């Protein structure tokens, strides 16, 4: 009987230890906020994304972070975001849920995608892009918890690739 109790206590303690390296927050880490452009080999049009504290912008969607999990790995933390998105092609009327993985290589280079098998490398944009990002946020798309539709999001994000 003593062994069964010891086994049950050990299993309980071990399950808490396994979850101790995952930290959940409501926003992206500040060091990864900014404008990011895909490496030249990733796609023909070099997609651009913008990360702010609680928002993710791309040419396809505007998303707000529901939660962001940070998980330890051998190469550093991996961030997994659960997002609520409005697809710009649909006029921003239907909210959908999406997942986004951010796996930093360096402070200026990250791998981003919805699955580990589809991660694309992005690098941080120049100060020119950062000024475009600030104009984007000031021009009707707020950095709040709910995404807003806006036709200027996709066009402004797309133009940033030229300045990066």
């Amino acid at each position: 009987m003593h062994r069964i109790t010891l086994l049950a206590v050990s299993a309980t303690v071990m399950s808490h230890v396994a979850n101790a390296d995952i930290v959940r927050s409501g926003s992206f880490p500040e060091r990864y906020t900014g404008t990011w452009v895909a490496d030249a080999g990733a796609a023909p049009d070099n997609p651009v994304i913008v990360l702010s504290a609680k928002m993710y912008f791309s040419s396809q969607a505007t998303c707000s972070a529901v939660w962001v999990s940070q998980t330890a790995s051998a190469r550093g933390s991996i961030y997994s975001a659960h997002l609520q998105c409005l697809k710009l092609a649909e006029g921003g009327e239907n909210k959908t849920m999406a997942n986004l993985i951010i796996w930093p290589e360096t402070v200026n280079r990250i791998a981003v995608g919805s699955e580990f098998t589809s991660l694309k490398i992005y690098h941080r944009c120049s100060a020119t892009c950062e000024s475009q990002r600030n104009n984007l946020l000031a021009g009707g798309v707020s950095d709040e918890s709910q995404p807003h539709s806006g036709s200027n999001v996709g066009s402004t994000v797309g133009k940033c690739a030229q300045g990066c």
Side-chain angles (χ1 to χ4, degrees):
M1 182 69 169
H2 187 270
R3 288 183 184 174
I4 294 173
T5 305
L6 182 61
L7 183 60
V9 169
S10 296
T12 303
V13 170
M14 293 305 285
S15 68
H16 290 292
V17 171
N19 292 330
D21 61 349
I22 299 174
V23 178
R24 186 179 280 191
S25 70
S27 61
F28 293 105
E30 186 176 340
R31 67 183 165 270
Y32 299 113
T33 61
T35 305
W36 300 83
V37 66
D39 279 353
D45 60 349
N46 288 0
V48 175
I49 61 171
V50 178
L51 293 173
S52 67
K54 293 185 171 270
M55 300 293 292
Y56 166 82
F57 302 99
S58 73
S59 59
Q60 291 89 27
T62 298
C63 306
S64 64
V66 177
W67 50 258
V68 178
S69 292
Q70 177 183 3
T71 306
S73 78
R75 198 174 83 187
S77 295
I78 299 172
Y79 299 92
S80 174
H82 189 66
L83 307 170
Q84 184 178 40
C85 301
L86 295 174
K87 293 187 178 182
L88 299 176
E90 297 173 0
E93 294 182 16
N94 295 326
K95 292 181 181 179
T96 60
M97 301 308 280
N99 294 310
L100 183 73
I101 298 168
I102 301 172
W103 194 357
E105 290 186 0
T106 67
V107 170
N108 294 315
R109 188 173 161 92
I110 58 176
V112 177
S114 60
E115 299 177 358
F116 278 104
T117 58
S118 65
L119 295 178
K120 293 182 177 130
I121 302 297
Y122 286 78
H123 63 272
R124 189 180 299 278
C125 288
S126 66
T128 303
C129 285
E130 289 305 311
S131 113
Q132 289 181 4
R133 172 188 173 266
N134 293 337
N135 290 339
L136 173 68
L137 292 174
V141 179
S142 67
D143 192 17
E144 298 171 0
S145 61
Q146 294 297 317
H148 301 275
S149 63
S151 59
N152 65 332
V153 174
S155 62
T156 304
V157 170
K159 291 177 186 174
C160 179
Q162 299 167 0
C164 297

